[in-house]
Amino acid sequence: MKLIIINGPNLNLLGKREPEIYGSKTFEDFFKELQLKYKELEISCFQSNIEGEIIDKLHEVGFDCDGIILNAAAYTHTSVGIGDAVKGITTPVVEVHISNIHAREEFRQHSYISPNASGVLFGFGLKGYDLAIQSFL
Ligand code: DQA
């Protein structure tokens, strides 16, 4: 099974960025743990701070891999383009947010991804990515 985690803007700062919200582990360390836990799976990850690069990646992987785990970060709340890309591809997308976006500012409560996601997980910390993987198994 081929899965990809796509992370949006500022998620390259995990471990350093607002640790009270996002925790103190880097994504690199967490990703190594995931790869060890799911040795039988082919899991890759991609991060970009650039909206168009996230759209290009969705187009590239969205017709042949088995599942996409997408945390579009701030673009979740602003990007019609990423929402349309999720709608336009055939691979199912599980939307993940580390924090509980519904317990935060009003502007975080709208997602352009959710209407076309096969599932949404938020508020479980980094564990949300693991739960998303399990949803594909
Ligand atoms: C986030 C929530 C977004 O509102 C925020 O802009 C992020 C991270 C999360 O994982 O909790 O950058 O997607």
Side-chain angles (χ1 to χ4, degrees):
M1 180 178 270
K2 220 160 98 181
L3 302 177
I4 182 167
I5 297 172
I6 301 179
N7 275 335
N10 301 306
L11 293 173
N12 53 311
L13 293 182
L14 284 176
K16 289 187 213 153
R17 172 194 184 201
E18 298 176 272
E20 65 290 355
I21 298 177
Y22 300 112
S24 51
K25 192 176 278 187
T26 67
F27 196 79
E28 289 68 26
D29 285 347
F30 174 68
F31 186 64
K32 277 183 207 144
E33 288 171 21
L34 280 181
Q35 285 184 308
L36 279 178
K37 180 167 176 189
Y38 296 104
K39 282 201 190 90
E40 74 282 13
L41 304 179
E42 203 185 308
I43 314 176
S44 58
C45 77
F46 173 82
Q47 189 276 331
S48 177
N49 295 318
I50 299 166
E51 186 176 10
E53 288 186 358
I54 295 169
I55 294 170
D56 284 345
K57 183 53 80 174
L58 287 165
H59 293 177
E60 182 190 318
V61 300
F63 295 90
D64 66 17
C65 80
D66 300 299
I68 297 171
I69 297 158
L70 174 63
N71 184 348
Y75 288 142
T76 304
H77 318 299
T78 62
S79 179
V80 174
I82 295 178
D84 281 352
V86 169
K87 194 171 184 180
I89 59 179
T90 52
T91 298
V93 173
V94 171
E95 177 183 357
V96 167
H97 298 284
I98 297 164
S99 64
N100 178 355
I101 52 175
H102 288 281
R104 300 181 64 192
E105 302 94 324
E106 182 97 32
F107 69 85
R108 293 187 204 275
Q109 293 174 27
H110 177 263
S111 166
Y112 283 101
I113 316 295
S114 301
N116 297 300
S118 59
V120 183
L121 284 155
F122 54 82
F124 292 103
L126 289 174
K127 193 167 186 223
Y129 292 94
D130 191 336
L131 295 170
I133 292 171
Q134 289 178 42
S135 77
F136 284 114
L137 296 179

